[in-house]
Amino acid sequence: MASVSLRHIEKIYDNGFHAVKDFNLEIEDKEFIIFVGPSGCGKSTTLRMVAGLEEISSGDLLIGGERMNDVEPKNRDIAMVFQSYALYPHMTVYDNMAFGLKLRKVPKDQIDQQVHEAARILDIEHLLDRKPRALSGGQRQRVAMGRAIVRNPKIFLMDEPLSNLDAKLRVQMRIEISKLHQRLGTTIIYVTHDQTEAMTLGTRIVVMKDGVVQQVDTPQNLYKNPTNLFVAGFIGSPQMNFVDVVLKEEGGKVYAEFSGNKIRVEDAEAAVLKKKGYIGKTVVMGIRPEDVYESSELPGASKDQQLTATVRVYELLGAEVFLYFDIDNVNFTARVNPDTETRNGSTATFALDMKKAHFFDKETETTILD
Amino acid sequence: MKNQERLGELLEEIKELAGEDLYLHGADGRILASTKDPRSELLRKAAAGELSPEDVSAGARQLGWEAPGAMFLLIMDPGRLLGDVAVEAARALFEKDLLAETRIDAGERTSGSEKLLFLIHASEWEDPVEAASLLQTSLEVETVTDVRIGTSQVFDSFSSLSLAFRHAGMALKTLEIFSQKEKVASWRHLGLQLAALRLPEADVSDYLDSVLGEGAGQIFSDSELMRTAEVFLMTGLNSAETARQLCVHRNTLNYRLDKIERTTGLDLKRFEDAAAFRLASLVWQRKE
């Protein structure tokens, strides 16, 4: 069993910097969990505490139910993969993969068996006699993973392992890592700043900011039901549109007003906003670019969910088009049908799918519709 | 060669009886065999300051050890790692480029106790930082252990060994004082850290007062502002990239930079003010 429990984990450096604050997480055996967040949010520090490379200031770390705070890193049965391949240039792929086992005085025939097994899993058996300089970036990264796999650890810790690869290779390796997880059936904790990597790889994602866990959820739930403004903005590309709106009630309906626009809030959401006392107040409304349509593309769109604006930038990505426009200095993005005839400078009418709108408290920045 | 091996074996046997290391010198003073690697011993003595630069050169000549050309020195704080494992990894990594290695009790010359020294031929390693980073990452991956490494500049004469040790040691010391995350530092890249380290103790408070006024404590204890300043400096004073990395709006970034300016009088968008702020923050870290 390689479950991992982090209970009230804190990291405070000697200079007083509070890098991780009250981190709580239960990771189940064989889970692929992602720590994601902007630079300096504490994700790598947390991973390094699990590894034993950083001391835990307070709280408990359990692996397989056993407290690990004071267990030497080498005895935690974990293996790490970093963005730097750290391969020995003079050694063959075989020797690179075997080196860690040699340091641990593992018998030769066992080393041989483990290296070949890892090479088979990674499909690099034909590369075993090559030296690193004769490998491509993707092959080197596989060898780096091979060095971890040969140790047959309970848990893999991966710290931005794909950051050194170009965009195309990153996509390929993402698929490889996902397959690897299925084949090995091992718990993986994976750190990245890239939300696409997080969304595509993780069974669950931990979003962090300033050392604090913002939300722990499945990729789908994070996207659909972000608990606060930060998560809503961080997950999704292009990011969610945000606009400050004043909520007003007229004739039993609730409207979100901003810059002369008056958008009707759906009845179910309106009921929650009313119940929580937000009528008359300013809140942040969020709506994803794919929920902003050109009005002709949203059947049944009524006038009170439309707004008109001049398109600033038309961006064709092949299967989709992004239209960027401003309303009173607030930037909006719409992801629309690639057949659109709207171009830079066109005046267009957009319809918001208000069933998908999010509302956040202006002060606490937390979601109102939970 | 066979004779030398045989002499070595005999010396090892005598050492068992005598209980201490032995050297067998030829008539011309050259060491013919020893129970200790004489090159490592020379490296150790040079690092410990037991030999003058001229003596180090003479000692190398005596060993018939010719300088291979460009070299550099790495000094490692092995942390919890066993020295033997680090040495084995360094041998595997550098192979024939590892000219000598030794262990020293660095005492006051650097901040910890036992350190490992590696003298590397720079033939395939143009940049000492590249070599040190590879060794550090390899050890981190293979042994899950945190080691820190300071590197000297590249030099080409054994007479520079003591100086190289001092520089590599200083680089290691800056890691211990100024950096929680970085694991490798090079003498050549110390820059402001060196200036902060060399500011006389008596001038530290005066310096901070004169540069930052009373705002120093307020700014340096505000982790959000410090993180903002750090990323802003790291990105080459690039507002858009800083905002992206911190996931904040440009207006939020500008607000924070303005707050730093209001409190310290330093406008981080100006290079000179940014450099002054960086130096002051290092001096503050040293003081803390």
Side-chain angles (χ1 to χ4, degrees):
Chain A
M1 270 289 281
S3 60
V4 182
S5 304
L6 295 112
R7 295 179 187 164
H8 304 292
I9 296 283
E10 305 261 352
K11 178 67 191 179
I12 304 167
Y13 285 104
D14 293 342
N15 64 1
F17 177 62
H18 205 154
V20 178
K21 298 164 192 166
D22 196 22
F23 189 109
N24 288 286
L25 183 67
E26 297 292 328
I27 303 171
E28 286 173 25
D29 187 28
K30 298 183 179 130
E31 241 196 304
F32 196 139
I33 199 115
I34 311 272
F35 294 171
V36 69
S39 162
C41 70
K43 54 192 187 296
S44 287
T45 307
T46 308
L47 187 84
R48 292 172 71 81
M49 285 193 281
V50 175
L53 287 166
E54 295 278 359
E55 268 179 39
I56 296 168
S57 305
S58 68
D60 296 310
L61 168 71
L62 288 84
I63 296 179
E66 217 178 300
R67 193 172 186 273
M68 287 286 147
N69 293 48
D70 304 317
V71 174
E72 283 282 309
K74 64 181 167 59
N75 298 329
R76 293 187 185 191
D77 209 356
I78 48 132
M80 296 197 74
V81 181
F82 295 98
Q83 70 179 74
S84 163
Y85 317 124
L87 300 179
Y88 296 105
H90 305 296
M91 289 185 188
T92 62
V93 167
Y94 180 98
D95 289 332
N96 263 288
M97 287 167 69
F99 187 67
L101 299 177
K102 282 182 191 162
L103 282 180
R104 277 181 210 85
K105 315 287 179 209
V106 174
K108 234 179 176 178
D109 51 346
Q110 196 183 330
I111 292 177
D112 192 60
Q113 188 226 323
Q114 283 175 234
V115 169
H116 277 103
E117 175 61 13
R120 191 186 57 74
I121 291 170
L122 291 161
D123 199 16
I124 53 170
E125 280 171 298
H126 60 295
L127 303 176
L128 286 175
D129 293 330
R130 288 202 199 161
K131 298 230 170 129
R133 72 172 71 88
L135 303 177
S136 67
Q139 289 169 334
R140 284 180 203 181
Q141 187 53 269
R142 280 192 213 180
V143 177
M145 283 186 200
R147 291 168 83 180
I149 292 172
V150 290
R151 294 168 59 180
N152 200 17
K154 274 192 209 160
I155 301 163
F156 284 96
L157 305 179
M158 301 190 181
D159 195 352
E160 306 254 11
L162 306 185
S163 297
N164 272 350
L165 306 179
D166 62 44
K168 197 176 164 193
L169 207 51
R170 246 190 346 250
V171 175
Q172 273 177 28
M173 285 304 293
R174 240 166 36 206
I175 298 165
E176 293 288 327
I177 290 176
S178 194
K179 280 191 207 160
L180 194 65
H181 175 239
Q182 288 164 25
R183 251 181 273 170
L184 294 171
T186 314
T187 309
I188 297 180
I189 307 177
Y190 188 106
V191 162
T192 181
H193 68 276
D194 180 342
Q195 54 100 8
T196 312
E197 234 168 82
M199 294 290 280
T200 50
L201 280 172
T203 47
R204 277 195 305 156
I205 298 173
V206 180
V207 184
M208 294 181 72
K209 184 193 173 214
D210 299 334
V212 178
V213 173
Q214 304 291 308
Q215 188 171 353
V216 183
D217 223 322
T218 61
Q220 294 86 344
N221 273 342
L222 273 183
Y223 193 76
K224 280 188 185 166
N225 306 308
T227 56
N228 62 35
L229 211 52
F230 174 77
V231 177
F234 190 77
I235 300 291
S237 177
Q239 78 160 37
M240 187 184 280
N241 299 296
F242 295 114
V243 57
D244 285 0
V245 298
V246 179
L247 296 173
K248 290 194 176 160
E249 191 175 7
E250 277 179 35
K253 302 286 180 195
V254 172
Y255 294 88
E257 290 190 10
F258 67 100
S259 307
N261 292 286
K262 197 167 147 187
I263 307 291
R264 189 165 70 81
V265 179
E266 289 288 318
D267 290 346
E269 285 77 23
V272 178
L273 293 166
K274 269 192 329 195
K275 192 178 165 197
K276 292 191 174 178
Y278 281 96
I279 303 302
K281 290 188 179 165
T282 300
V283 299
V284 180
M285 184 175 84
I287 188 148
R288 295 218 179 265
E290 61 269 31
D291 300 323
V292 180
Y293 293 81
E294 284 194 278
S295 57
S296 57
E297 294 286 327
L298 186 63
S302 61
K303 288 262 181 234
D304 56 10
Q305 63 187 106
Q306 291 179 359
L307 41 90
T308 301
T310 304
V311 171
R312 188 166 37 85
V313 178
Y314 159 92
E315 199 174 66
L316 173 66
L317 271 81
E320 59 197 1
V321 159
F322 294 138
L323 298 175
Y324 299 92
F325 58 95
D326 302 332
I327 296 177
D328 264 5
N329 290 326
V330 177
N331 303 325
F332 282 85
T333 309
R335 175 184 278 156
V336 301
N337 191 319
D339 297 330
T340 181
E341 287 175 8
T342 305
R343 294 291 183 272
N344 293 351
S346 305
T347 299
T349 302
F350 295 94
L352 311 184
D353 183 354
M354 289 301 285
K355 287 189 198 82
K356 309 276 181 63
H358 302 260
F359 293 92
F360 302 95
D361 185 284
K362 183 94 175 115
E363 273 181 32
T364 63
E365 300 192 346
T366 54
T367 183
I368 300 169
L369 307 173
D370 54 355
Chain B
M1 191 65 190
K2 264 193 171 173
N3 285 344
Q4 205 153 4
E5 274 175 25
R6 181 73 189 121
L7 278 174
E9 286 167 13
L10 284 170
L11 274 187
E12 285 293 344
E13 283 176 27
I14 299 170
K15 179 190 167 185
E16 289 229 337
L17 296 171
E20 57 183 283
D21 281 303
L22 298 168
Y23 295 84
L24 182 65
H25 292 264
D28 58 356
R30 279 191 311 117
I31 294 176
L32 300 176
S34 74
T35 54
K36 259 191 171 179
D37 175 7
R39 295 180 179 193
S40 296
E41 194 55 12
L42 185 69
L43 178 60
R44 191 195 62 75
K45 285 183 175 170
E50 292 173 16
L51 300 173
S52 69
E54 293 75 23
D55 290 341
V56 178
S57 292
R61 270 197 304 278
Q62 210 175 21
L63 296 174
W65 189 15
E66 275 183 35
M71 315 171 254
F72 57 85
L73 199 63
L74 305 183
I75 177 164
M76 178 194 287
D77 178 349
R80 287 184 289 193
L81 182 66
L82 289 174
D84 290 347
V85 175
V87 169
E88 205 172 324
R91 283 179 185 157
L93 180 59
F94 300 118
E95 287 195 325
K96 60 181 182 355
D97 290 331
L98 180 59
L99 302 173
E101 96 258 338
T102 192
R103 294 166 196 221
I104 51 158
D105 189 353
E108 289 181 3
R109 305 198 79 197
T110 63
S111 62
S113 55
E114 189 187 68
K115 303 282 186 282
L116 305 174
L117 277 182
F118 301 105
L119 180 63
I120 315 287
H121 180 203
S123 63
E124 287 188 44
W125 307 94
E126 282 175 19
D127 184 357
V129 174
E130 180 203 345
S133 298
L134 191 52
L135 180 59
Q136 182 270 328
T137 315
S138 296
L139 285 167
E140 197 168 60
V141 169
E142 298 290 7
T143 65
V144 200
T145 318
D146 225 1
V147 303
R148 291 172 178 216
I149 303 174
T151 82
S152 73
Q153 74 285 29
V154 174
F155 57 97
D156 55 16
S157 162
F158 288 126
S159 61
S160 304
L161 264 177
S162 295
L163 185 68
F165 171 74
R166 200 151 53 79
H167 289 171
M170 189 86 84
L172 183 62
K173 194 167 184 177
T174 62
L175 282 177
E176 287 158 1
I177 295 175
F178 299 123
S179 180
Q180 273 130 12
K181 286 193 173 166
E182 300 300 316
K183 305 296 172 194
V184 171
S186 141
W187 161 259
R188 205 160 72 85
H189 297 123
L190 287 187
L192 290 176
Q193 293 175 333
L194 190 61
L197 204 60
R198 287 189 164 171
L199 186 72
E201 190 67 44
D203 294 339
V204 165
S205 295
D206 275 353
Y207 176 78
L208 288 171
D209 283 349
S210 63
V211 176
L212 302 171
E214 289 168 3
Q218 194 188 331
I219 291 292
F220 291 140
S221 56
D222 185 328
S223 59
E224 187 176 75
L225 285 184
M226 284 308 289
R227 178 76 195 140
T228 302
E230 186 188 328
V231 176
F232 189 62
L233 298 180
M234 211 168 60
T235 58
L237 317 186
N238 181 332
S239 297
E241 181 56 20
T242 304
R244 194 191 67 75
Q245 284 199 21
L246 293 171
C247 273
V248 296
H249 193 274
R250 279 280 284 271
N251 293 344
T252 307
L253 173 66
N254 287 334
Y255 170 78
R256 291 182 191 171
L257 294 177
D258 286 348
K259 189 172 177 188
I260 292 174
E261 187 179 358
R262 278 198 310 276
T263 317
T264 65
L266 295 173
D267 175 6
L268 298 196
K269 289 173 186 160
R270 288 183 63 240
F271 172 76
E272 298 218 336
D273 281 5
F277 182 84
R278 173 76 179 136
L279 181 57
S281 72
L282 291 168
V283 172
W284 176 269
Q285 277 183 59
R286 176 188 146 181
K287 184 183 163 205
E288 289 297 293

